[in-house]
Structure formats: structure tokens, C-alpha cells
Amino acid sequence: DLKSEMDKTRKLPLKKDTRASDSSQEDAIDQWARRRKQFKDSKKCSSTGGSSINSTITEGSINSEDARSVDLGLYSENEDRGFYTENFHSASWVFRGDDVSPDNSPRCLSKRPRPVAIRERTVKIAKGTGNYPWGFRIQFSKPILVTEVDTNSAAEEAGLQVGDILIAVNGTDVTSMPHSEAANLARKGPDILTMIVGSDISRYPNTPKPTCRGYLHKRTQSAILKGWRKRWFVLKHNGYLHYYKHKKDEGKCRPLEVTKLEGAEIGVDTSLGKPFVFKCIPQAGNRTFYFCATSNQEMKRWLEAMDKAVHPIHQNHVWVDVTLHNTALPPLAIKNPECLGLLHQLDRSKDVWIQHYCILKDGCLYFYATLRSTPAQGGLYLQGYIVSEQSLGSKRSVIELKPTSEEFKTFYLCAENVNENKRWITALKASINKWLPLHQAIQDFMNRPLEETRM
């Protein structure tokens, strides 16, 4: 208890020339709450390499290439922690549930796949005329899924969406009901069809966000040196443009600068008398960036990617909303965790191991300062990661979390002993196995017995 209280005190921001007190703890909580509110207002989840979901960045204040951007390291001091979501946002993933492979699951509660319904809502559809008076199609059983909504139909006007799962029809639960019975229940009911529907993680694939990488020549605006410098640019999935001196620096060094592209002005520039030049004027600050590509095709590739970042579509995957909700919960309030306990995470920039109390749930590893801490400091989205036991330095048994692509980060964790490591490895593998690549999920989905009804 004494150690946990000391850890908690060490995490608090200390005011100059004063000791940590109850008021400083309240200040820390208030500060976190304000940043969380800012995050909710922006409706964005940062996906930079370990960046905070709550941090606000003022890139416009950086005026020289030699200046360094805000350190967005997952465990950097004086920064709110956050989620590392790069691998999740770079591909399409769908959730297949807890018990698809009971033999590989640490919790075998059921032999039948169990849908995870989120965002339940009531939809009332007025019956029209014709063969399909409501204007939508349902398919499959347990769960019954809305697979088509007719344009300008009563169903569309009522807000029914493709991907919705039928939970109740005219007051009757249909989650365990055969497809044909649910269809008959709707047909025999009143002219106002009342349904409770919900979004299911397993039916909402994650859509990869735009990204772009490559060398560009950047015009420097330094008062001492002027001209064009070749730099390695990375447009992240969250719409932030990073650049490095060399390609090899990505993932190993801090970017020379980070620029938010949302709301920026971009376009081809002819004022400098140089071909394949385009410019970017960020919304924040009064600076203009000039870039030069090696060809017209390369310039168009960057302009198309940057345009998507300038005008982003803010629509979170359901799982992002779920994990953000869970961050506000105490560790033991997350229902049915697959594994929990102390883990040490390697901070490779400082070559130190940092202890956290961890909760594993559905492919997400949440980090807390201690068992009594709220909210979560952050965590890792583990979709697609490969888990193995490795030796690292003086430690003979370390958990390695390795992504399928070298452009993303590899993480190293270590429990209190070898047996604890093995327990975590088994749980991590089973949790990651709950998620499928979209192409594989579609194939599995199409192999199900075909049941469909137009309503």
C-alpha cells in the first residue's frame, strides 16, 4: 500500500516549492478532465505513434526546422498518456467475439458466438405500400442483420442503417430467435414497426485512414540558410504531417516537426518558378510550407492524400468509442477482463522499464499507474500483433509484441516472473485472435447459411 501511494504521488504534477497534496491531486484530475473534454469536442482519436488521446499540439508555434515538436512518446514525462493505434488504423479489422474458438479462449462461457451490441436505439418505421412496405432487407440469424436500406424509404427516414442488428421487434426480443420467426413477427404487427437495434463491433469494419510516405524537398525559411532540403515526410492516419532528416529516423528519432493538416489550405504553386511545387498553409499559425516533388505524378499523390487529411471524415470505429469509455473506469470496473496484473513496459528511448497495472480486454491492453488509479494512462491496440517470448538484455524472459509491418512499433513487456509471462502470453494470443482482417471476415460471413427477407 505504501509503495502504491508513493507511485501515485510521484505521478502527480508538483507545484513549484510545494509538496504534493490533496489539492494538487484534484488539480491533476481537473486537468485530465479538461483535456478529455477537448478531445470529445474535437471527436478525434489520435493514432500517432503512442500519442496521447488528450494532448493538444500547437505546431504553428514551431518556426524553424531545428526546433523540435512536442514529444508524443507513450510514456513521456509531463504528458498525458494515450493509445497506440497505428496498426489498427492502417488496416480493416472486425471483431468476431469471445467464443469463436473456445479451445483457445481463456474464458469458455458459451459454445455459441456472442454478439457485442453497442449504441442501442429505438427505430419506428411507418408501413408504406407495395411488396416491401418498410424498405429494408434483413439476413442471417443470431444475430439478424440489416444488410440493405432502400433509398428514400420509410426505413431510411427512420434512421435505420446497414449493419444494424435487430435486438427487439414490436417489444419481443429476437436476439435468439430464428430469422423466419422474426420476419413473421414484424409482418403480423401493427402498421408502425417498432424495433430496437444496435451497432455490433463485429459488423463494423474499421476503415483505414489515408497515409502517405516519401521524400520531398522542403523550402527552408531560416534567416541563415535558404534553399531546398531533402526530407523524409510521413502523413499519419490522424492527419498530422511529420518529417525527418532521413527515412531511417522514422520510429527511432523524434520528428523535426509535426503539422496538423485539418483545415489547412493546399494546392499547386507556380510563384517560385520551379516545377512540381505545392504549398500548405496550416490553419494554426501564419506560416506557409513549400514542397517540391520529383514528378507530377508524385505531386498528385501527395496532394490527394493531404486533401483527405485537410477534410477528414470524423467517424470513429465503434471499438474506439468503447475503449475511450473504458479509460474513464477504474481497473476492476472493466467487465470480464481476460488478464490483469502488473507488467513492466520498456521505454526504449531511456532504456528503462516502467511498471503499470494492466487490464487486457478484447485486443486492447489498458495501462494504469496503480490498481487504485483512475483514469487509465493509455494502452495498446493489439490487432494483428504477433506475441512471442524472447530474451532481451539481462532479462531471459520478455514478452515481445511485434507488428506485421516494420513501419509500426514493437513493444516489450515483462511480468514478475517466467510463469506470469507465460500466463500473459496465452491471454494476449487469445485476445488478439478475436479480431480478423476484413477480407477473412467477409469470407467467413459469406459461408454462413443464407437467410434473407425483404421487408
Side-chain angles (χ1 to χ4, degrees), residues 7-8 11 342 355-357 367-371 373 375-377:
D7 289 342
K8 187 185 299 182
K11 296 291 182 182
L342 292 175
Q355 179 177 284
H356 303 282
Y357 190 84
F367 293 122
Y368 292 84
T370 68
L371 176 60
S373 299
Q377 294 176 305

Side-chain angles (χ1 to χ4, degrees), residues 56-294:
T56 55
I57 310 167
T58 55
E59 299 81 2
S61 62
I62 303 174
N63 294 317
S64 72
E65 185 175 296
D66 294 330
R68 293 296 184 266
S69 62
V70 177
D71 183 9
L72 300 179
L74 184 59
Y75 302 110
S76 61
E77 295 179 0
N78 302 322
E79 285 290 322
D80 286 330
R81 276 62 169 174
F83 283 91
Y84 184 77
T85 64
E86 285 282 7
N87 205 43
F88 179 75
H89 286 305
S90 67
S92 295
W93 300 92
V94 291
F95 184 80
R96 63 176 176 177
D98 291 342
D99 307 307
V100 173
S101 302
D103 295 336
N104 297 328
S105 175
R107 297 188 297 111
C108 305
L109 304 179
S110 170
K111 297 296 182 183
R112 180 173 63 84
R114 181 182 59 184
V116 184
I118 310 293
R119 294 173 174 165
E120 293 184 8
R121 67 187 192 280
T122 300
V123 175
K124 295 184 178 182
I125 307 174
K127 188 174 183 178
T129 58
N131 295 329
Y132 312 113
W134 289 290
F136 67 96
R137 183 198 301 268
I138 55 174
Q139 287 184 278
F140 312 108
S141 294
K142 302 176 185 180
I144 300 170
L145 184 69
V146 176
T147 57
E148 185 179 341
V149 177
D150 296 342
T151 303
N152 299 323
S153 65
E156 185 182 60
E157 292 180 4
L160 192 67
Q161 299 177 6
V162 173
D164 283 338
I165 280 185
L166 267 62
I167 297 172
V169 174
N170 293 330
T172 302
D173 189 329
V174 297
T175 54
S176 301
M177 187 178 291
H179 177 97
S180 56
E181 289 185 24
N184 288 333
L185 185 66
R187 290 195 182 102
K188 294 178 180 179
D191 288 346
I192 301 295
L193 177 61
T194 302
M195 301 187 299
I196 297 177
V197 299
S199 304
D200 181 2
I201 298 171
S202 64
R203 306 297 172 232
Y204 271 76
N206 175 48
T207 304
K209 298 180 181 180
T211 183
C212 199
R213 282 174 167 81
Y215 277 108
L216 290 171
H217 283 83
K218 171 185 168 293
R219 190 185 186 211
T220 154
Q221 298 175 328
S222 170
I224 302 175
L225 298 174
K226 293 185 179 181
W228 297 86
R229 293 182 182 177
K230 187 178 181 180
R231 295 290 180 255
W232 177 256
F233 283 85
V234 179
L235 176 56
K236 295 279 189 174
H237 307 290
N238 65 339
Y240 285 86
L241 183 66
H242 299 231
Y243 77 87
Y244 305 83
K245 191 171 183 179
H246 304 291
K247 178 180 179 179
K248 64 181 180 180
D249 295 338
E250 182 186 351
K252 297 181 180 179
C253 304
R254 296 180 185 179
L256 296 174
E257 196 160 342
V258 180
T259 304
K260 181 180 179 181
L261 294 188
E262 182 178 358
E265 179 185 339
I266 61 169
V268 178
D269 183 85
T270 58
S271 64
L272 301 178
K274 189 177 177 70
F276 318 133
V277 172
F278 56 101
K279 64 181 178 181
C280 172
I281 306 175
Q283 196 173 39
N286 54 359
R287 187 177 175 189
T288 301
F289 293 90
Y290 293 94
F291 307 106
C292 183
T294 55

